[in-house]
Amino acid sequence: MSSILDYDFYAYPNICSGLKALDTIPRELLSFQASNPLILKYQKDPSRLERQLKAACCTSQIVLGPICRIPENLSKDDISTIVDTMKESSVDSIIAMGSGTIQSVAKLVNSLYCCDFALEEIESLPCDSFTPLPHIAVLDERIDGREATNRLLLDEYRLHHDSLYPEYIVIDERMMASGRDKESAASAIISLTQTCEAYRDYLLTPVIASWTKSSLHFLGEYQSMSTKQAKIALINAAVATQIAHSNIPPGPVTTISEMLAISGFCSEAQAMATLLPHFLSQLTFDKGSPLDESFDEIAMICSDVPWNDIQQMISELLKNYERYIHCSKTSGIITSLIRQTHRLMQHSNNTEIHTLITDLVSHTTSQTVMGGEL
Amino acid sequence: MRLPPFSQFCSRTRIISGEHALERLPGLLSSMSVKNPLLLTDKGLEAAGLLRLVIDHIEKGKLPAPLIFTDIPPDSDLQTVNEIAHLYREKGCDSIIALGGGSVIDTAKAVNIVVSCAEPDAQVLDLRDFSGADVITQRLLPLIVLPTTAGTGSEATIVAVIKDHENNRKMLFTSNFLQPTATILDPDLTLTLPPFLTAAVGMDALTHAIEAYTCLGKNPLSDGMSLQAIRMIIDNLEYSVAHPEDRSSRLALAIGANLAGQAFSNSMVGIIHTVGHTVGSICGVHHGLCMSILLPYGLEYNLHKIEKELKELSLYLCGEQKEAIGTIAAIRSLNDRLKKATAGRHVTRLHDVLDRDKRSAVRPDHLPIIAVEALGDGSHFYNPEQIDYDDILYLLNAAYWGYPLDRELIQKGHE
Amino acid sequence: MKIRWRLSPGRKPFKSLYLHIILWFLGRSIQAAVHIDPKIRQEFFNLPDDMTFSLGVEPQGPRMVIRKSTQTGVSYLGRASRKTPADLEIKIHDIEGAMLLLTFRESTAISASHGRISIVGNVAHGCTIVRILDQLEILLLPKCIAKRAVKRYSTPDRIGAMRTRLYVRTLIGY
């Protein structure tokens, strides 16, 4: 019989957060004997980030480059160009500046480069037998929930393997930009969803409890302020929860939201914001269900974070989110999935959940494409 | 929560925990493509049958029996490390399995440094070349740790300490690369630990967690680990001491110690370890026992700087919100209960610690020597309050005779 | 997609200049303080003869090297070559960490606990050097700044006179 004391947990990244954290990158590069990093950054991001990274190298004399400025709509050709660039300049590490897509790009090109595979061969990538280049992830507040994990999702490409964990995660306030409140709110919802899913997992192991507890504390800090400090707390929360979340099977809310996002209905955060309250309220209805029991365990293990406080935090964060993003357009479609969600949650077998969700989403997609109302 | 201005957190050892988790060892070895591991342990564990248990599991997995080295002394030293490194090279091993407590694990880490970092054709393999902080600059070979004490947390830390008898000094190695590749926490490995040692190592783990929560390097991630560790240790330590055969509480204790190890590896420890390391090395007192005796005194010494943190910990240590002083009282009372449960072997003051000949291991004339030596222990950087010779001597005298510190007499630094 | 092939390392000329000056000043003041402050003299007495130690920014930044010898006492050796490592090296990992430490916004203890510095060599000697640096900061700096740089500030006897002598000796290099 398995218990909360039986687990297999892996948290690879080294996390560096705070004042002048960006300046620790050259030393970190030297510590794994790298001196020729590939830099990935969003094309639309200010060039001051490059200058700051360049200035950080002043005592190490590391020559940075090549620098690829990733456009918003990345094509397959772009991926191949990056891999060719890596080959041409024999890079020995990757620094990806920004959150979201760019980290998935970094993981993808890292895998392709190290295995010497073309993009078309990605399905047969031998994930268990390659040592990736050290990947430094410099995060900002546009979190997609996969940056610190062993997962990547880029259009139709998906990979899930421990070699994909970034080596070093940097959280520096200089990466934050003003006027990204909308993105921050979305990031908070993604992090909150992952935290709740990890928190309600049937087997809340002590180590997952530690990471999610830290994440909740960080989210509490984010909720009470609206400064760069708050954004640092938010990214810390995201990283902590992603690490916990990458050690459990993905929960129903993240899985459905991911599917909906791929289908182009709405953003992941929009789907999560709509689904999460229902998901959580469901938990209180099913007295005696395995989920209900798992909440008893949570109450026992984490009694210092009262459930009422978490609910309060959730409603505050949702309010904050709604201020920036209107969910009304998509909520009609998503609400109809809630009944199904309830059914999914009764199943503990992950494969089964996955199949059900896939069926559900393909069904939803076909109906919507045809213009029908659910 | 206090968001620190700067923090770093790295804890990259894969943790496999559970009853019969040892059964996963062969699978783990195969997944790492390991073919010829070197198993390190000590004579005591061989006699206790744990070595046999591990080999059985490896053989059950249809893997060849590993090369075994059992001659590891209680204090890991340079000579042994160099000897094992030569053996490793000679036999063409490709990984290390460490079965044991702090000494075996530290020795394994040190051997791993030498065999991974020295040139493959180097004739002389010398660990001394790699001593210091962050000298190691490459990934090391696979190291799997099977901890048998549930206390040291070494299976999760970035530190290794090795004695150099020739130059009479302790070499300290710190690097993120020193974190083992994987660790297996199985109650079968700690079942043979006698109650008084269970109590001592449990208190060692508790000290790690509390110091990690109260010292300067603390950050929210290490705090999460500390709090969880404290809860698991407090809930299971006394039960484990009273019911040594209970596997579930043994496992919970091992997990608590592991979480505490992850916490202190990232936020470091303070005065309790500063003094405890020196008492251990000068008087030969068991490290866990030093920690359990010194824990309340060290907290009293720092009280004016860590009042808020201790108040937060009271929820875990007393079961309800209390003042900081209540947390210290709860630790004293836990020590007293453990003393009772171990028929007096878990002593609560330095005066009562006995050596093998049943004489006092610590004498009053040792105290000034300990105070001087302790000033050279690196952990005092991380203590919230400044420490000088007089402070350590005052603390030692109190811990020796067993009277609480007078808060008025403690020299206080500014806020 | 735009690709830029290389980006040469940048410069932080003002910070670099400040660090050169402050390390030069600290080096010379340690040399002078041995003659002035009994506490620092006593700490040096406990260190082995002919020992060298360095404090500097890694890997190629400014630094200072001090030697204690029986003949010449404590002497400041300037930057000295990195080819021959000092017996004890206090390495500050990056220039920003060095600015925090050497503009006295962060104490040595806080820098160490944030992982901004590392000590390579005998840790016990490292602890002695840190105590020397703390005492030096108390002597050199006004109380309000020194309080940020050390954990416990205690005003030495006749600090005014000692401070004047220390500044004069440091500047004339005697």
Side-chain angles (χ1 to χ4, degrees), chain A residues 5-21 24 27-28 30-33 131-132 134 162 166-168 206-207 209-211 213-214 217-218 221 229 232-233 236 240 300-304, chain B residues 1-19 24 31 134 136-139 176-177 181 185 220-225 227-229 231-232 248-249 251-252 255 258-259 262 315-316:
Chain A
L5 303 184
D6 292 358
Y7 59 84
D8 180 346
F9 187 85
Y10 191 41
Y12 189 73
N14 179 358
I15 306 156
C16 177
S17 155
L19 201 59
K20 313 285 182 193
T24 62
R27 175 176 176 264
E28 207 55 35
L30 294 176
S31 87
F32 29 73
Q33 295 173 321
T131 310
D162 284 351
E167 178 89 26
Y168 191 61
V207 68
S210 311
W211 285 91
K213 205 182 290 184
S214 305
H217 283 298
F218 279 123
E221 189 88 346
Q229 275 299 93
I232 288 193
N236 269 292
M300 190 180 74
I301 295 169
C302 307
S303 60
D304 63 314
Chain B
M1 190 200 69
R2 184 179 62 97
L3 189 67
F6 186 85
S7 68
Q8 279 214 47
F9 191 92
C10 182
S11 186
R12 54 180 48 159
T13 304
R14 162 166 247 126
I15 311 156
I16 297 170
S17 144
E19 289 201 27
R24 299 181 57 184
S31 72
D134 303 313
I136 304 155
T137 56
Q138 67 182 77
R139 289 189 178 123
N176 283 339
F177 295 108
T181 321
L185 309 174
L221 290 175
S222 73
D223 285 356
M225 302 282 161
L227 294 176
Q228 192 65 34
R231 185 175 292 282
M232 302 208 72
S248 171
S249 62
L251 178 59
I255 292 173
N258 177 271
L259 289 170
Q262 293 186 51
L315 195 65
Y316 293 80

Side-chain angles (χ1 to χ4, degrees), chain B residues 6 301 383 386 391 414, chain C residues 114 131 147 150-152:
Chain B
F6 186 85
Y301 179 78
N383 196 59
Q386 179 73 18
D391 301 323
H414 49 268
Chain C
H114 287 170
R131 280 195 293 274
K147 274 178 101 167
V150 297
K151 281 192 221 167
R152 191 190 284 163

Side-chain angles (χ1 to χ4, degrees), chain B residues 311-328:
Chain B
K311 213 170 161 181
E312 287 160 5
L313 289 185
S314 66
L315 195 65
Y316 293 80
L317 286 147
C318 317
E320 57 181 319
Q321 192 82 46
K322 281 190 174 175
E323 288 304 310
I325 204 86
T327 306
I328 301 174

Side-chain angles (χ1 to χ4, degrees), chain B residues 93-106:
Chain B
C93 297
D94 56 4
S95 58
I96 303 170
I97 303 171
L99 168 71
S103 166
V104 174
I105 301 173
D106 278 7

